[in-house]
Amino acid sequence: MNTVILGIESSCDDTSAAIIRDGEVLSNCVANQEAHRLYGGVVPEVASRAHQKNIIPVVDLAIKKAGIDKRQVDAIAFTRGPGLIGSLIVGVSFAKAYALSLGIPLIEVNHMEAHVLAHFAEPPRPAFPFLCLTVSGGHTQIVLVRGHLDMEVIGQTLDDAAGEAFDKTGKLLGLDYPAGPIIDRLAQKGRPVFDFPEPQIPGLDFSFSGLKTAILYFLQKQKQDDPDFIRNYMADICASVQSRIVSILINKISLAAEETGIREIAIAGGVSANSELRSALEKTGAEKGWNTYIPKFEYCTDNAAMIAITGYYKYLKGTFTSQEVEPVARWKVGG
Amino acid sequence: MKEIVIHSPEELPDAVRILLHRAARARVMAFYGEIGAGKTAFIQALCRHLGVKEEVSSPTFSIVNEYEYISPGDSLAHPVYHMDLYRLKDIEEALQIGIEEYLYSGEYCFIEWPELVEALLPEDSARIKLEIIGDSSRKILIL
């Protein structure tokens, strides 16, 4: 069939472009040092101006790496939302202009649905229906996935996201942002000897705000007896906090599996790069007889391959978007 | 300056009512306070009071969350901007995300970690400081 889709992602910090052919990823580029080595300049962070600088080099790089000509692209898929309007607008405008100039269709993609469909970038691919725990700096959701384009959020955070629980703990411990990977590394040298309470939230929803406050009080109290408590017990504190965050996530996804009877269980989003979460999911899955799916790191964080893949399934269904499309800051999964 | 003490999160709606009464004209509200002081929880209560139906969660990663409510003034749907500037490094980054468009939109703008954009806040902004005084009690200062 040879259907080639160009995917564009610019919803938050990273500008990314990817090319897929018949669902197979040919290139998946994030504007980073590599793109800038080729085109000069520095890598700015949070900024729509940065997206403007990045988008042409990164699309060019994705096309070159895929070894195709831009005239072979059959459709262009882009993140329409949710995200920061100033950032989204760059990707949306670029996609519209590109589609218009090449005379190819446009396909709008929901960023959170795309995180789930990142599982279709490579085998093994989950079978329908499956549950996907999407965990990132900004989101914590359990999504019931009935088909490529048929999803429903059955649980979500009521306050902070799981990734934020890592980052705010890092702030309390004096670690750099983002703290998730640092805590993951430090935790490997410690033991989970401090017990933080598990929030009692009914159903499949999450809460991480109480945990943050519990950690704050715990540290304040310990520092009264030992002003160097954080330094002396850094690895154990990290291990304890991480172990609690992971257990909250695993307990909820287990409950969701029980309630729905579904045993195909996937994780997605930046926090699925956490080593303890990955091993805990595999271990729990082995005990409970689940098939578990953990994407490669490059498909966990924000990337355009997942946008292109989602675009591909929409292309097969003939779901296209008009040139009048505008970015949306808010957009529900399945909405 | 007005000072309100609440003893549990259940009393947040009362504090919200007092704040909206005292700062009736303010559309931009800046919330100061350390981690765990309850900035997100206060803004959740504010949004509930305004009639926001969807989930109000922390925008630390997204920087700006946008919600919707029906304004009693014109019976139309208006956006509410919930911002968190925690991970921005300097005022330049705030300008680059287009913060002025939000601040001067005339719509409600609730800001966590606003220190960075102090110089950009409209003149009639409300400033609210949250202080931890016990495990579940907080002092709320309307500055």
Side-chain angles (χ1 to χ4, degrees):
Chain A
M1 234 171 54
N2 267 329
T3 303
V4 176
I5 310 279
L6 165 64
I8 304 285
E9 152 68 24
S10 73
S11 66
C12 200
D13 297 0
D14 296 325
T15 326
S16 175
I19 297 283
I20 65 165
R21 182 166 55 208
D22 294 338
E24 185 204 343
V25 180
L26 299 184
S27 65
N28 184 27
C29 305
V30 179
N32 54 16
Q33 301 299 347
E34 192 185 358
H36 284 277
R37 235 190 351 262
L38 292 171
Y39 294 91
V42 291
V43 188
E45 281 183 53
V46 190
S48 58
R49 212 181 293 164
H51 287 296
Q52 279 172 28
K53 264 189 186 162
N54 288 334
I55 196 148
I56 290 174
V58 84
V59 168
D60 212 25
L61 186 64
I63 287 173
K64 280 202 184 103
K65 275 197 158 180
I68 61 153
D69 185 274
K70 66 172 181 290
R71 281 175 294 268
Q72 287 172 267
V73 174
D74 292 297
I76 177 160
F78 63 96
T79 306
R80 187 183 170 203
L84 210 54
I85 283 291
S87 298
L88 289 166
I89 205 160
V90 177
V92 174
S93 309
F94 179 87
K96 284 160 85 165
Y98 208 85
L100 201 60
S101 66
L102 290 177
I104 55 175
L106 265 178
I107 303 171
E108 63 177 24
V109 170
N110 179 311
H111 179 85
M112 295 308 294
E113 293 180 10
H115 265 304
V116 173
L117 292 184
H119 283 282
F120 293 85
E122 278 177 17
R125 299 177 170 94
F128 300 116
F130 68 92
L131 294 176
C132 186
L133 173 66
T134 312
V135 270
S136 68
H139 297 274
T140 304
Q141 299 182 332
I142 299 176
V143 186
L144 168 57
V145 191
R146 296 189 191 88
H148 292 114
L149 304 171
D150 183 3
M151 303 182 195
E152 183 191 343
V153 175
I154 57 172
Q156 63 185 321
T157 183
L158 303 175
D159 39 57
D160 300 354
E164 193 181 341
F166 278 106
D167 290 328
K168 293 284 167 80
T169 301
K171 166 97 173 169
L172 295 172
L173 296 175
L175 304 174
D176 286 341
Y177 181 93
I182 305 173
I183 291 177
D184 192 357
R185 202 181 62 236
L186 291 169
Q188 285 165 20
K189 296 181 207 125
R191 289 187 310 121
V193 290
F194 305 115
D195 190 31
F196 296 110
E198 175 152 6
Q200 302 301 313
I201 307 293
L204 299 175
D205 287 334
F206 300 87
S207 166
F208 288 98
S209 162
L211 176 64
K212 176 179 73 189
T213 317
I215 296 165
L216 172 72
Y217 294 149
F218 170 79
L219 294 175
Q220 278 174 350
K221 197 161 159 283
Q222 297 297 325
K223 276 195 276 192
Q224 281 170 10
D225 301 332
D226 173 5
D228 282 334
F229 178 76
I230 291 181
R231 215 176 46 212
N232 293 338
Y233 292 93
M234 183 63 103
D236 289 338
I237 302 168
C238 288
S240 306
V241 171
Q242 176 169 285
S243 146
R244 176 52 79 207
I245 294 173
V246 168
S247 80
I248 292 170
L249 295 171
I250 294 289
N251 289 346
K252 286 291 182 178
I253 193 74
S254 300
L255 182 62
E258 238 169 74
E259 284 187 1
T260 57
I262 292 171
R263 295 163 112 180
E264 295 280 301
I265 311 291
I267 53 172
V271 178
S272 54
N274 179 275
S275 62
E276 189 172 339
L277 178 60
R278 292 170 96 99
S279 58
L281 185 77
E282 277 173 0
K283 186 168 159 279
T284 312
E287 282 164 17
K288 295 184 186 269
W290 300 341
N291 294 320
T292 54
Y293 302 88
I294 303 172
K296 272 206 226 157
F297 183 74
E298 66 222 71
Y299 300 126
C300 289
T301 49
D302 290 352
N303 68 88
M306 66 184 198
I307 305 301
I309 293 204
T310 310
Y312 174 63
Y313 290 108
K314 288 193 159 185
Y315 182 90
L316 294 180
K317 269 187 72 182
T319 310
F320 301 120
T321 307
S322 90
Q323 276 283 342
E324 272 82 71
V325 66
E326 286 178 352
V328 283
R330 310 174 306 134
W331 191 4
K332 277 187 189 161
V333 167
Chain B
M1 190 168 72
K2 169 87 184 172
E3 194 179 301
I4 311 161
V5 171
I6 62 165
H7 303 93
S8 75
E10 284 73 48
E11 293 172 34
L12 273 173
D14 301 325
V16 162
R17 268 196 300 278
I18 296 169
L19 169 64
L20 287 175
H21 178 71
R22 301 259 326 174
R25 273 201 304 277
R27 285 297 171 273
V28 175
M29 298 188 183
F31 291 84
Y32 301 82
E34 59 180 307
I35 284 184
K39 297 181 290 298
T40 305
F42 196 100
I43 293 170
Q44 284 179 328
L46 252 172
C47 290
R48 287 285 161 268
H49 181 91
L50 292 176
V52 170
K53 296 277 185 294
E54 63 227 283
E55 211 54 70
V56 174
S57 58
S58 171
T60 300
F61 183 76
S62 53
I63 303 173
V64 184
N65 280 357
E66 198 179 317
Y67 319 118
E68 198 177 81
Y69 76 108
I70 306 293
S71 164
D74 54 14
S75 304
L76 295 173
H78 283 257
V80 179
Y81 302 113
H82 178 188
M83 314 180 148
D84 184 333
L85 309 182
Y86 176 78
R87 69 192 190 94
L88 296 189
K89 284 195 275 299
D90 48 40
I91 197 165
E92 181 60 23
E93 282 196 341
L95 289 168
Q96 293 208 5
I97 65 155
I99 192 157
E100 289 162 303
E101 282 183 50
Y102 296 106
L103 295 178
Y104 293 89
S105 62
E107 307 291 354
Y108 276 117
C109 231
F110 305 139
I111 314 172
E112 302 187 40
W113 302 98
E115 287 82 354
L116 219 53
V117 298
E118 199 61 57
L120 301 175
L121 297 180
E123 216 167 282
D124 54 0
S125 301
R127 290 176 167 78
I128 298 101
K129 189 165 186 340
L130 303 172
E131 283 176 14
I132 301 176
I133 50 175
D135 275 7
S136 59
S137 37
R138 298 288 184 273
K139 188 192 281 181
I140 297 153
L141 297 149
I142 304 172
L143 307 175

